Amino acid sequence: MHTGEGSPARADGRLVFRTKLPGSGLCSVAVTESDGRPVLLTGAFEGVTMWDVSDGQLAGRRLHGDLGEVRVVSFAVVDDRLVVVTAMDEDAVVWGDEGEPVDDPRFDVWDAVTAEHLCSFERPDGEPFGYPAHAACVEGEFGDPRVAVVLAEREGPFHVWDLENYHELRAEGQRHVPAVACARVHGVPVAVTAGDDGLMRMWSTELFADGEIGDPWPCGALGQVNALAVGHVDGRAVLVAGGDQVGLWDLATRTSIGQPTALHDTYVTAVGTGRLRGRPVAVSGDFHGTIRVWDLSTGEPWGEPMSSGRWKVDAVAAADAGGRALVASASLHGIVSAWELPAA
């Protein structure tokens, strides 16, 4: 089987990994490589854990917390490395790569593979954050001050750091921010939010910008949007939104790509983006445990669905790793699964 970049694949994946983590709180998953081997990274209240897909074995605990929950809220790529954004309970202590506690971390960015601590953030008023709902990073290089880190609270504002400064954004009339994603549109770092008012908004994350960009636009047939992600097709930023179904938008023009189709029989709870055999894709998971892959260029479904069992899907990921095209899902109940998509 040829597995080189750019070769086609069928989206009818073969289950290659499944495990049940003790406890609960598994809220994020990523697919990457470590020493050339495909690995899964899972984020839970207890920290970040690495799993070797080839042999199904635990490959290491990259971060772990004591005396409180470590809320791992997002994986992202910054400066060509996979990073993890964490937010902690007030009493949490996190142990990093050198075996030393990081003093009073509240909101931090780490190298997801090596556990190197990259930077920390605080509110300038010293007040604690509300319970974090989501976090995201604008992709780029750490030397670029416009690489923004965004943290959205379940209730209240969302917070933006550009690695040097801080500011706070809040939409008038938008009480809750169920989902947030970051991107660059025409070179400008932006955040996209979905609110409980049925509208999506785009914001500049540059410190001295005017905040909201243009008018909000309706979620339409998606209803309440529960999850957002951004991928790229030929340099264009494509927004993926999950609600009653899955919808795709060209972020530069805010025009729909394709039409939402009733392929999920219940509401979508997680979305992600990636590249499989070099092809840009979106992945969606729903309340009944169904995972689907979508062609990010056309908005069309790709192949047959996969199933995590009866477990609601809380996070999804897709990537080429170690010469294999992998799709992964994770559940708050502790179930993590991975499928390999074969070449056509």
Side-chain angles (χ1 to χ4, degrees):
M1 179 187 300
H2 179 60
T3 57
E5 182 175 337
S7 61
R10 299 193 312 270
D12 49 358
R14 174 177 63 92
L15 183 67
V16 294
F17 178 90
R18 178 165 288 167
T19 191
K20 173 77 166 67
L21 275 65
S24 61
L26 185 62
C27 55
S28 55
V29 65
V31 179
T32 188
E33 292 183 5
S34 177
D35 297 326
R37 296 173 65 84
V39 297
L40 298 183
L41 288 163
T42 56
F45 291 162
E46 292 80 15
V48 176
T49 303
M50 181 184 293
W51 302 87
D52 191 317
V53 175
S54 299
D55 59 17
Q57 298 300 307
L58 178 68
R61 300 187 185 279
R62 287 299 179 260
L63 299 169
H64 65 277
D66 297 317
L67 307 177
E69 292 179 349
V70 179
R71 301 170 187 156
V72 180
V73 283
S74 184
F75 290 101
V77 177
V78 179
D79 205 8
D80 293 327
R81 72 167 92 183
L82 182 69
V83 302
V84 59
V85 182
T86 60
M88 287 65 163
D89 274 353
E90 187 172 1
D91 297 327
V93 177
V94 171
W95 304 82
D97 54 320
E98 300 297 330
E100 296 295 326
V102 178
D103 293 336
D104 193 26
R106 296 302 312 279
F107 181 38
D108 297 83
V109 181
W110 315 74
D111 185 298
V113 175
T114 67
E116 177 187 355
H117 184 250
L118 301 174
C119 49
S120 297
F121 303 97
E122 297 178 353
R123 288 179 60 151
D125 57 11
E127 292 296 315
F129 296 108
Y131 195 97
H134 304 278
C137 293
V138 176
E139 295 185 5
E141 299 179 0
F142 270 110
D144 182 353
R146 298 194 305 170
V147 174
V149 181
V150 178
L151 174 70
E153 298 183 25
R154 288 191 188 275
E155 299 184 23
F158 63 99
H159 310 272
V160 180
W161 293 260
D162 65 1
L163 305 188
E164 293 180 357
N165 301 286
Y166 165 88
H167 59 300
E168 179 181 291
L169 298 171
R170 184 191 297 266
E172 188 69 28
Q174 182 173 282
R175 299 185 307 256
H176 304 280
V177 182
V180 62
C182 286
R184 287 181 185 266
V185 178
H186 300 311
V188 177
V190 302
V192 181
T193 58
D196 60 349
D197 53 3
L199 298 173
M200 291 188 285
R201 293 173 168 86
M202 187 186 303
W203 309 78
S204 171
T205 58
E206 293 184 292
L207 183 63
F208 298 109
D210 293 331
E212 191 169 355
I213 301 173
D215 296 326
W217 68 99
C219 302
L222 299 187
Q224 173 69 61
V225 169
N226 306 302
L228 293 173
V230 174
H232 295 88
V233 178
D234 298 328
R236 294 181 299 134
V238 176
L239 177 70
V240 183
D244 290 341
Q245 286 301 322
V246 176
L248 278 67
W249 283 265
D250 184 315
L251 268 184
T253 62
R254 305 191 194 192
T255 55
S256 296
I257 300 173
Q259 296 294 327
T261 54
L263 293 181
H264 284 281
D265 63 2
T266 184
Y267 59 90
V268 176
T269 51
V271 295
T273 60
R275 300 184 76 86
L276 296 175
R277 313 275 183 207
R279 179 179 182 177
V281 300
V283 184
S284 57
D286 67 28
F287 186 80
H288 290 163
T290 299
I291 296 97
R292 283 192 171 273
V293 179
W294 307 77
D295 187 312
L296 204 57
S297 302
T298 65
E300 293 296 318
W302 184 29
E304 298 301 316
M306 294 157 278
S307 176
S308 67
R310 65 185 184 276
W311 306 106
K312 166 179 170 279
V313 177
D314 290 287
V316 290
D320 292 327
R324 303 169 71 177
L326 298 172
V327 174
S329 73
S331 163
L332 279 170
H333 297 284
I335 302 295
V336 56
S337 307
W339 296 263
E340 181 176 1
L341 305 192

